[in-house]
Amino acid sequence: MNQTNTQGLDGVIAGETAIASVGKGHGLKYRGYDIYDLAKGASYEEVAYLLHFGKLPYKVNYQFYISTLKDKRLICEGLRHILEQIPATAHPMDVLKTGISFLGCVEPEKSDFSNQNECIERILAALPAILMYWYHYANHGHQISLDSNQKTIAAYFLEKLHRCEPNLEHVEALNSSLILYAEHEFNASTFASRVTASTLSDIYSAITTGIGVLGGPLHGGANEAAMDLITSYNTPEEAKEGIVKKLEANDKIMGFGHRVYKKCDPRNVVIKEIAKALSVGHKEEKLYYISEAIEKTMWDEKKLFPNLDFYSASAYHYMGIPTSFFTPIFVISRVAGWAAHVKEQRANNRLIRPNASYTGPEEKSFTPLSERGE
Amino acid sequence: MNQTNTQGLDGVIAGETAIASVGKGHGLKYRGYDIYDLAKGASYEEVAYLLHFGKLPYKVNYQFYISTLKDKRLICEGLRHILEQIPATAHPMDVLKTGISFLGCVEPEKSDFSNQNECIERILAALPAILMYWYHYANHGHQISLDSNQKTIAAYFLEKLHRCEPNLEHVEALNSSLILYAEHEFNASTFASRVTASTLSDIYSAITTGIGVLGGPLHGGANEAAMDLITSYNTPEEAKEGIVKKLEANDKIMGFGHRVYKKCDPRNVVIKEIAKALSVGHKEEKLYYISEAIEKTMWDEKKLFPNLDFYSASAYHYMGIPTSFFTPIFVISRVAGWAAHVKEQRANNRLIRPNASYTGPEEKSFTPLSERGE
């Protein structure tokens, strides 16, 4: 095996999956369904069900699933106490990680994994509640009610964020975005969740792993960095000039290119449409045109295409979502993929334990501290 | 590439390391030093320093390092509150994971990693304190003081566990055990910590990943399973018969064999000596002889050798350490290796993102829920 090629496991096949096909030159599919059709025609909950159970739900399954998730939103007093200890200065990703880790302390998965589906539903439902309870408490001292009649995670998220009935166009947009982010084969966070599952560790550990890995700026953090970039320019012309300068200085521009995709990100067309639709008539409509100018400049100068993160940034901004929530939304979505991969890993498990090429000193003789000098 | 061989990345070289050499037929070395010499002649803190800074400390470095770790043991009121919310029924691994994740909320690493060494020292020092504060509070309602004059982690751990001056033989034994467990190349938890670091996520996330992965029974959980096995027999003869029966029934016997080692585990000779020495005159001396009977039977029947986990179990038991702390001790030790690997990954980073072989359905056409039937 060519040693150089395995750095970062680039191009190395690390296992099998039946959950998503990606980067085969024909778009992205979840269990055979095209991502475009799902993002346009399904709810995030239908997609989570598809990922976890291998098929789309019938109406009766769907109603039951929706109602189960709704019932599992409320969090216990102990968890609320914990969230109240976390200051507003913390990154929401660390809040989610701490909250899910604590849930694993008080509502553990059984060691035979016989309640894995129940735990997965609990985590899916609790994540938005954890985020919103902490957010309002840390920033305004409000102990908000986590109850709601909203049926979907997208609607619940926006209701609890803005504390009012959510705008339906925003709910639909967020729902599509959750679908786009839900699953992406052996990306770093999913792969690390599978490594966690491969020691037969519990689902909460696999999900905290996923959150921790996703938080890095080379992974989930990219959409927050894209927002910072876009808002740093006042006009499309300024953006073009700024990007050219950054490229000359070899600065990394977040939200462009992809390890797996070489020509375009099949998810971009959907999120770009959404960002454009939300921009119309918005007081910051220009952000969309600034984004387009950055996209064009990156293509003209570097032949690099925007990935899902890039237009997600302005889309979320138009929904009034704080930038620090962009990666947490990625968690709220991708948790569906992580959990599906944990189930798949468990169904045909083999410990994931690679080898390393040793490059250090061969042999050194040990001298005790007392003889080692000052 | 042979697809079959990559399941579990068995034998796949996933990167380079200068931290440990393992499984080359000449034992285990940390940065060139033989594990036997280190376990016999160094303190765990010297080894942690060696792993993190690439060389053994001189006396002055060592004194400073010891004193820094001592100063970083105390934990804030917020963290103590959180630990008080975690019931005695929780697994201590989940407690450590939650505690470290919370530390990342209140004492975050800088995004340029310029304080990574300080954060690593903090985590090393805080882990035993987190475990002990929770343990005494959850089980007895005692809010113990975390202050201590003990210089080493081994002594501190035993003092806080038993709440009295620790037995010096036990301190030395635990110190050696911490050294043996400190580092082991690209094992599953370390590899997953590197995947976490490869997205440029923070050190707390990398360590919570490590804890989550280590918790699984196919990894760190093995020493707890070994203890349960050993204590299930009353005599060496009974153990021999019992193991033969288990092998006939194809039961998995924990604490034997190793993915990397094929003939013996070089760490076993040290921990077996320790277990034997601690057994002498102990009221449960027979546990050692039961362990030996299991070892002999496994070799006679299966040509399988004990790994580090097997004799660690009785050694810890002789120190009066509860079985549920065996894997947490593994954390308190292996955190040195995880952190060294995070530093190494960062120094020459490439995102760890493998590919998967897709085995699912090729193309399915989407039907909206409304047309999908009841």
Side-chain angles (χ1 to χ4, degrees):
Chain A
M1 182 181 307
N2 185 329
Q3 178 70 29
T4 317
N5 285 345
T6 64
Q7 283 292 103
L9 294 178
D10 197 355
V12 172
I13 292 175
E16 299 182 341
T17 187
I19 303 171
S21 54
V22 48
K24 314 263 183 231
H26 52 67
L28 167 65
K29 292 189 172 66
Y30 295 168
R31 298 205 181 269
Y33 294 102
D34 194 278
I35 186 68
Y36 190 86
D37 295 334
L38 293 171
K40 291 284 185 176
S43 72
Y44 169 71
E45 287 77 3
E46 279 175 78
V47 170
Y49 187 100
L50 169 69
L51 293 170
H52 296 158
F53 300 105
K55 54 189 179 190
L56 285 166
Y58 289 106
K59 282 179 196 167
V60 60
N61 310 130
Y62 183 67
Q63 293 309 331
F64 185 74
Y65 192 61
I66 284 279
S67 134
T68 304
L69 291 177
K70 191 164 170 286
D71 289 346
K72 293 195 175 192
R73 282 172 188 158
L74 299 188
I75 59 177
C76 67
E77 195 185 342
L79 180 46
R80 294 199 304 275
H81 270 314
I82 280 180
L83 296 171
E84 291 174 11
Q85 300 295 330
I86 305 179
T89 50
H91 196 285
M93 291 294 281
D94 295 329
V95 178
L96 291 181
K97 179 149 51 70
T98 305
I100 294 300
S101 184
F102 177 78
L103 264 193
C105 294
V106 290
E107 302 175 11
E109 189 180 23
K110 292 180 184 161
S111 59
D112 64 0
F113 308 141
S114 57
N115 63 337
Q116 67 176 357
N117 287 330
E118 288 75 12
C119 293
I120 290 168
E121 288 157 5
R122 175 61 167 146
I123 294 169
L124 273 170
L127 278 167
I130 289 170
L131 183 65
M132 290 308 165
Y133 188 85
W134 166 77
Y135 173 69
H136 291 291
Y137 186 85
N139 288 285
H140 313 106
H142 297 160
Q143 296 173 311
I144 66 162
S145 158
L146 293 171
D147 217 0
S148 164
N149 284 323
Q150 300 295 344
K151 286 186 180 166
T152 67
I153 289 174
Y156 181 75
F157 181 94
L158 289 169
E159 178 191 284
K160 291 300 166 195
L161 172 62
H162 298 309
R163 302 188 72 185
C164 62
E165 190 62 26
N167 173 311
L168 280 185
E169 190 189 5
H170 292 179
V171 171
E172 278 183 27
L174 182 58
N175 178 68
S176 293
S177 163
L178 291 175
I179 292 172
L180 294 173
Y181 269 121
E183 157 59 11
H184 213 242
E185 199 221 35
F186 279 18
N187 59 90
S189 57
T190 302
F191 179 59
S193 293
R194 287 188 78 124
V195 176
T196 310
S198 84
T199 70
L200 301 182
S201 193
D202 68 300
I203 184 77
Y204 296 95
S205 293
I207 301 304
T208 52
T209 291
I211 298 171
V213 179
L214 190 72
L218 295 188
H219 194 358
N223 51 18
E224 299 186 13
M227 193 66 219
D228 294 340
L229 178 76
I230 296 162
T231 51
S232 74
Y233 303 117
N234 290 305
T235 63
E237 296 70 33
E238 204 184 287
K240 181 181 171 180
E241 273 174 43
I243 294 295
V244 169
K245 270 191 199 147
K246 277 183 188 289
L247 290 174
E248 281 169 5
N250 273 324
D251 285 0
K252 175 131 179 98
I253 312 287
M254 304 306 278
F256 285 85
H258 197 276
R259 171 74 72 89
V260 172
Y261 300 120
K262 299 306 174 194
K263 292 184 180 165
C264 74
D265 183 332
R267 302 166 295 182
N268 181 57
V269 54
V270 185
I271 197 69
K272 188 176 173 182
E273 263 179 43
I274 290 172
K276 184 167 189 180
L278 294 175
S279 75
V280 176
H282 193 283
K283 65 179 185 217
E284 292 180 279
E285 190 167 356
K286 68 173 184 180
L287 287 180
Y288 179 78
Y289 295 101
I290 290 169
S291 303
E292 272 198 329
I294 295 173
E295 177 184 5
K296 184 170 185 314
T297 311
M298 287 296 287
W299 184 256
D300 291 346
E301 298 289 322
K302 284 280 179 185
K303 293 288 172 282
L304 278 174
F305 55 87
N307 58 41
L308 174 57
D309 294 320
F310 187 66
Y311 281 102
S312 297
S314 45
Y316 292 158
H317 186 77
Y318 289 134
M319 298 177 212
I321 298 173
T323 303
S324 67
F325 280 12
F326 290 6
T327 321
I329 292 177
F330 198 159
V331 170
I332 288 166
S333 160
R334 181 60 55 86
V335 67
W338 294 334
H341 279 274
V342 167
K343 289 179 71 173
E344 187 176 65
Q345 179 69 31
R346 287 173 173 178
N348 184 21
N349 188 52
R350 176 146 172 74
L351 178 68
I352 300 175
R353 200 285 186 212
N355 290 98
S357 165
Y358 181 65
T359 58
E362 262 321 306
E363 203 141 350
K364 283 189 169 180
S365 68
F366 178 75
T367 311
L369 181 66
S370 57
E371 298 164 25
R372 218 175 288 151
E374 295 305 318
Chain B
M1 182 180 307
N2 186 329
Q3 177 71 28
T4 318
N5 285 345
T6 63
Q7 283 291 103
L9 294 176
D10 197 356
V12 172
I13 292 174
E16 299 182 341
T17 187
I19 303 172
S21 54
V22 47
K24 314 264 184 232
H26 51 67
L28 167 65
K29 293 190 171 66
Y30 295 168
R31 298 202 181 272
Y33 294 101
D34 194 278
I35 187 68
Y36 190 85
D37 296 334
L38 293 171
K40 290 285 186 177
S43 71
Y44 168 71
E45 287 77 3
E46 280 175 78
V47 171
Y49 187 100
L50 169 69
L51 293 171
H52 296 157
F53 300 106
K55 55 189 179 189
L56 286 166
Y58 289 107
K59 283 179 196 164
V60 60
N61 311 129
Y62 182 67
Q63 293 310 331
F64 186 75
Y65 192 60
I66 284 280
S67 132
T68 303
L69 290 178
K70 191 163 169 288
D71 290 345
K72 294 195 175 193
R73 282 173 188 157
L74 299 188
I75 59 177
C76 67
E77 195 186 343
L79 180 46
R80 293 200 304 275
H81 271 313
I82 279 180
L83 296 171
E84 291 174 10
Q85 300 295 330
I86 305 179
T89 50
H91 196 286
M93 291 293 281
D94 294 329
V95 177
L96 291 181
K97 180 151 49 71
T98 306
I100 294 301
S101 184
F102 178 77
L103 264 193
C105 293
V106 290
E107 301 176 12
E109 190 180 23
K110 292 180 184 161
S111 59
D112 64 0
F113 309 141
S114 58
N115 63 337
Q116 67 176 358
N117 287 330
E118 289 75 13
C119 292
I120 291 167
E121 288 156 5
R122 174 63 167 144
I123 293 169
L124 273 171
L127 278 167
I130 289 171
L131 183 65
M132 290 309 165
Y133 188 85
W134 167 76
Y135 173 68
H136 291 292
Y137 186 84
N139 288 284
H140 314 106
H142 297 158
Q143 295 173 313
I144 67 163
S145 157
L146 293 171
D147 217 1
S148 164
N149 284 323
Q150 301 295 346
K151 286 187 180 165
T152 66
I153 289 173
Y156 181 74
F157 180 94
L158 289 169
E159 179 191 284
K160 291 300 165 195
L161 173 62
H162 299 308
R163 304 189 70 184
C164 63
E165 191 62 26
N167 172 311
L168 280 184
E169 190 189 6
H170 292 180
V171 171
E172 279 183 26
L174 182 57
N175 178 68
S176 293
S177 163
L178 291 176
I179 292 172
L180 295 173
Y181 270 120
E183 157 58 11
H184 213 243
E185 200 220 34
F186 280 16
N187 59 89
S189 57
T190 302
F191 179 59
S193 293
R194 288 187 78 123
V195 176
T196 310
S198 83
T199 70
L200 302 182
S201 193
D202 68 301
I203 184 77
Y204 297 94
S205 293
I207 301 305
T208 51
T209 291
I211 299 170
V213 179
L214 191 71
L218 295 187
H219 194 359
N223 51 18
E224 298 186 13
M227 193 65 217
D228 294 340
L229 178 76
I230 297 162
T231 51
S232 73
Y233 303 116
N234 290 305
T235 65
E237 296 68 34
E238 204 184 288
K240 182 181 170 182
E241 273 174 43
I243 294 294
V244 169
K245 270 191 201 149
K246 277 183 187 289
L247 290 174
E248 282 168 5
N250 273 322
D251 285 0
K252 175 130 180 102
I253 313 288
M254 302 307 277
F256 285 86
H258 197 277
R259 170 75 71 91
V260 172
Y261 300 121
K262 300 305 175 196
K263 292 184 179 167
C264 73
D265 183 332
R267 302 166 295 183
N268 181 57
V269 56
V270 186
I271 196 70
K272 187 176 174 181
E273 264 179 44
I274 290 172
K276 184 169 190 178
L278 294 175
S279 76
V280 176
H282 193 283
K283 64 179 184 211
E284 292 179 280
E285 191 168 355
K286 69 173 183 180
L287 287 180
Y288 179 78
Y289 294 102
I290 290 169
S291 303
E292 273 198 327
I294 295 173
E295 177 184 6
K296 185 171 185 313
T297 311
M298 287 297 286
W299 185 255
D300 291 346
E301 299 288 322
K302 285 279 177 184
K303 294 287 172 281
L304 279 175
F305 54 86
N307 58 41
L308 174 58
D309 294 320
F310 187 67
Y311 281 102
S312 297
S314 45
Y316 291 158
H317 186 76
Y318 289 134
M319 298 176 211
I321 298 174
T323 304
S324 66
F325 280 11
F326 291 6
T327 321
I329 292 177
F330 197 159
V331 170
I332 287 166
S333 161
R334 181 61 54 87
V335 67
W338 294 333
H341 279 275
V342 167
K343 288 179 71 172
E344 187 175 64
Q345 179 70 31
R346 287 173 173 177
N348 185 20
N349 189 52
R350 176 144 172 74
L351 178 69
I352 300 175
R353 199 288 185 209
N355 290 98
S357 164
Y358 181 65
T359 58
E362 263 321 304
E363 201 142 351
K364 283 190 169 180
S365 69
F366 177 75
T367 311
L369 181 66
S370 57
E371 299 164 25
R372 218 174 288 150
E374 295 303 321

